Amino acid sequence: MKVRVYNFSAGPAVLPEEVLKEAAEEMLDYQGSGMSVMEMSHRSKTYDKIIKDAEADLRELMQIPDNYKVLFLQGGASSQFAMIPMNLMKNGVADYIVTGQWAKKAYQEASIYGKANKIASSEDETFSYIPDCSDLPISEDADYVYICENNTIYGTKFKTLPNTKGKPLVADVSSCFLSEPVDVSKYALIYGGVQKNIGPAGVVIVIIREDLITEEVLPGTPTMFKYKIHADNESLYNTPPAYGIYICGKVFKWLKKQGGLEAMKAYNEKKAKILYDFLDESSLFKGTVRKEDRSLMNVPFVTGSEELDAKFIKEATAAGFVNLKGHRSVGGMRASIYNAMPIEGVEKLVAFMKEFEKNNA
Ligand SMILES: *Cc1c(COP(=O)(O)O)cnc(C)c1O
């Protein structure tokens, strides 16, 4: 059997090997049920325990306050670009901070449903930094302020949350979900597609403060797009992405075993430092992001020559370091080093980069 590669994909991305092995063992017979979780009624007692345990473990990991609901939904992170304005735009106004393609898409989608204001952007420098958000022109009647907390494509992260001047904060955390502790109480709504750092594509987790879940939504909002219907039915209004949630639950247990989010943060910082330190001293490779805004999860870099970039990606792939090609909109390389990327993967990648640098001086 082929050895597993070091997979630096931005998403769907690497998952803990332990979790995959456990899922494989349970594939044909989940805990004596005689069937796979894939084949099981989402109304069964067995599945009810799976989804309830998943929620309880996530609550414990993130220390989610009791006045927040956890929803396991589907449609990926992109469906939230519409669901958020449909449910939260009571005044029909929202402020968006545009720090990358995902924030831009969310902003554009919100413009369909109401008045979306772009109150800050870093597009002038190819989204390579996070703008100063300490004193933005927050709209008087804004229903919320929206950020993409970690910009998967560009490799930037908000190190301090914007000053929303009392308005509810909504954050897309798809690519930094569970990578470090968060103070949930600072947000009105946190959401993320799970395929970056938690589980299989298709599941999106929404953590929303209860007072924001109301009957009052934009006219024409489909039933499936109402937070209330999912909250009232504990994510079982219709058939949820049951197998995906089961894998997420396993990853939550794995994270608890690693020591929780404090431990993950320390591990992720150590991992990212190895790569960033090398980029800072390398004569060939350069990071593309303002240092103070660097993401712990997505690390873009270039050689300065498209030809050398292509050569590097080709040779790295052959050596077992895969999916290092940068996003099609930026080029170069990007190493996504999510929770499940072992530190050896980064150490070996850096050793490989050093060798490549020597051979291409
Ligand atoms: C990948 C990604 C998305 C889109 O996720 P889908 O599940 O494909 O809709 C949105 N936001 C961020 C930050 C992402 O990284």
Side-chain angles (χ1 to χ4, degrees), residues 78-154:
S78 299
S79 65
Q80 293 304 310
F81 297 169
M83 200 162 172
I84 288 161
M86 283 175 155
N87 285 266
L88 302 190
M89 267 190 175
K90 317 282 186 200
N91 297 325
V93 181
D95 290 346
Y96 279 72
I97 299 172
V98 178
T99 52
Q101 297 293 348
W102 297 118
K104 194 173 174 178
K105 281 190 175 163
Y107 160 70
Q108 287 166 340
E109 188 77 8
S111 307
I112 299 171
Y113 303 103
K115 190 166 176 336
N117 304 306
K118 193 198 292 180
I119 55 165
S121 167
S122 52
E123 194 160 14
D124 59 339
E125 288 179 36
T126 339
F127 298 120
S128 60
Y129 70 103
I130 299 289
D132 177 6
C133 297
S134 57
D135 186 19
L136 294 173
I138 307 287
S139 309
E140 202 65 35
D141 51 353
D143 291 301
Y144 59 88
V145 176
Y146 182 101
I147 61 167
C148 178
E149 194 161 330
N150 185 80
N151 296 282
T152 325
I153 296 172
Y154 302 94

Side-chain angles (χ1 to χ4, degrees), residues 55 58-59 62 64 68-74 76-77 79-81 83-84 87-88 170-173 177 184 188-194 198 203-209 212-213 224-228 230-231 235 252:
E55 176 174 342
L58 180 63
R59 282 187 176 277
M62 292 181 76
I64 300 173
Y68 285 75
K69 283 267 191 243
V70 173
L71 308 176
F72 294 99
L73 307 180
Q74 46 197 320
S79 65
Q80 293 304 310
F81 297 169
M83 200 162 172
I84 288 161
N87 285 266
L88 302 190
V170 171
D172 174 357
V173 300
F177 224 156
V184 175
L189 189 156
I190 301 178
Y191 79 94
V194 304
I198 302 177
V203 182
V204 55
I205 298 174
V206 175
I207 301 161
I208 177 172
R209 215 174 59 215
L212 294 162
I213 305 171
M224 273 294 285
F225 267 44
K226 296 177 181 171
Y227 288 129
K228 190 157 192 326
H230 296 291
S235 302
F252 300 154

